[in-house]
Amino acid sequence: MRRTIFLLSIISSALVASALEVSSWGQGNHLGEVGALGEDPEEWSLDKLPNPNATDHLVFETVHSLLQHWPNTRMRNGHTIVPGTVPTGTLLYHGRDNNKLPANPDWFSTDPEHSYYFCGRRGIVNPDHLQGCWHLTLATTRPLKVLYFDGNSAAKIPSGTMDAQDLLVWGTPGSGKLAEEVPRLHGLCEWGREFGVDGFVRMEMDFEVMLCDISSGLSVVSFLNIVRPDGTPPKISPLILFETMSAGSWHNHFPGETRIQLDLSGLVSFYDTQLVPSLVPIRAGQERWDHRVANTSDKDISAVKSRLETALKRPANLSSGIDWKTLIHVIVDRFAERLELTRYLLNLSATAPEEIIDQANKTQTQLRVMLTPYFQLSVVPPEPLEKTTLDWTIPIYKHCAMTHTFFMEILLGSMTDSEKLIFQAIRGTNREICRVVTKMWATGVYAGIDERFNVKESLDVAELRRLRNTWTGDLERLMTWLDWSVWVKCNPACGPTEMCFLPTWPVGFPGSPNNQLPHPLDSDTPQERLSSFDLRERGVAKEIRDTIRPEPDQYIRPQPRCINGIHPYEF
């Protein structure tokens, strides 16, 4: 009985302490006690821009985009390697021209539409190719340990899509080995054997799993002799091609390809400036489209391998337990549509005084909505209100910037290095969003268009016109810096028989089976080198962009457009 009373006393004391802790957190100034960001007023200045070499926003968007087809088609050059598992009971598919099970490492798809694209395509040299093809379906009998390479990592183009794999296998990218898929896969499996890796996940038109040994952890569900895809290899029917891309589009956006479950506590990123400092000066001044990991120093390659090997050896569940993927998605949900709506309002044509006032009021409302959870009654502008100071808004800015990550400070000791990278990415990205939104809202207060502060009966239309221009510039810089792929869409939206499409390797690329180039290929041009997939890396993205026709940027900087989802197909 005494033991029971003693235990109840301990539990009661703990609950009281917990309640006090929660209560003290809610007392307006507690966030200000976090030492990691400092108390220097300049640290929280609304004019303090992010370090131009910082990669918080790049890591943030990368993590948000993992295993999603759309953003990884858009930004083809992957910078991230993540351990994961293929859960028990997952079906994987493989098309071939004979009824022999693969005896060596081979390629499997997560959707049968993708594997059917390859069914019997090797049969062009098989006299029995008119007898159909063989389609293999496997089921996992245990969780398979895999490594995922982000980006368009199965695309055989020379601008950097396979850099991370090649650095892992050969210690150097390319080197004329772009098309050497079999040696690449064998090399990956040989490297991963020590760590129990069963396969590797990549993406082209859809996601694929490169398995090292199908005799381990897999069972045959069916191995059917089916009708071959229409078309004579290497050509393929437009219908089959479209359905392959359509299957890939099922995983365009969050949650993406859910049959691969990633362990973000083991994520390794070439955007980690502490792990890979050699890429920092190389990226300076580049657009993200042109980022690649090819020029990573030997020292940094060794560091990446060491970090990755540590992650693969680490016992399961040895991490903070924070659901990073959900947290990042929560932040994107909070701001993506609201920032997009604010940009739409600012881009509306407004010339008459009443139109300009209405536009300013509606924009100020959206800015205020984004900050509403952080408005404290004690935070008011000084009297008289002077445009030279914004310090009174710092409590709003600080709570907006830190609410999502404040409590994590006490968990830093249990975080892996990968988690600390993601933590900093979330903190840095969210902070910049809050800085810009708070500053835009505060300037609206000064202009007299806020419903709570400094309300003016008579508004200066010329001042509002200048404010609109300032707002537009601030918002465009923020959204360009964030560059979230959720904002990239077909506008106007596609019709019911259409699909919104980003140019997807190999469809329409020089040298692809269905490519329709309007002029003969010259052996000295990048098109010919692409068509043979035997590129000697004599040039990189800029060379290809300058010489490929038509619409060269569609290969390097893909833009969305609507394509037919029924006959006649067009890519």
Side-chain angles (χ1 to χ4, degrees), residues 76-78 150 152-153 155-157 159-165 178:
R76 306 186 195 280
N77 294 346
D150 78 329
N152 201 174
S153 48
K156 299 164 192 65
I157 52 179
S159 56
T161 52
M162 291 186 166
D163 284 354
Q165 300 162 69
L178 187 65

Side-chain angles (χ1 to χ4, degrees), residues 83-152:
T85 57
V86 181
T88 302
T90 301
L91 298 184
L92 300 172
Y93 307 92
H94 177 81
R96 58 194 296 110
D97 64 329
N98 60 58
N99 61 352
K100 297 178 182 179
L101 291 174
N104 298 304
D106 218 323
W107 288 259
F108 292 78
S109 63
T110 55
D111 294 309
E113 289 79 5
H114 190 197
S115 55
Y116 185 56
Y117 177 86
F118 295 97
C119 195
R121 293 191 67 198
R122 301 171 187 172
I124 192 169
V125 296
N126 185 337
D128 297 325
H129 74 274
L130 296 178
Q131 302 304 312
C133 64
W134 292 85
H135 196 252
L136 172 64
T137 302
L138 299 178
T140 58
T141 57
R142 60 170 174 81
L144 300 183
K145 189 174 184 178
V146 295
L147 271 185
Y148 165 60
F149 296 98
D150 78 329
N152 201 174

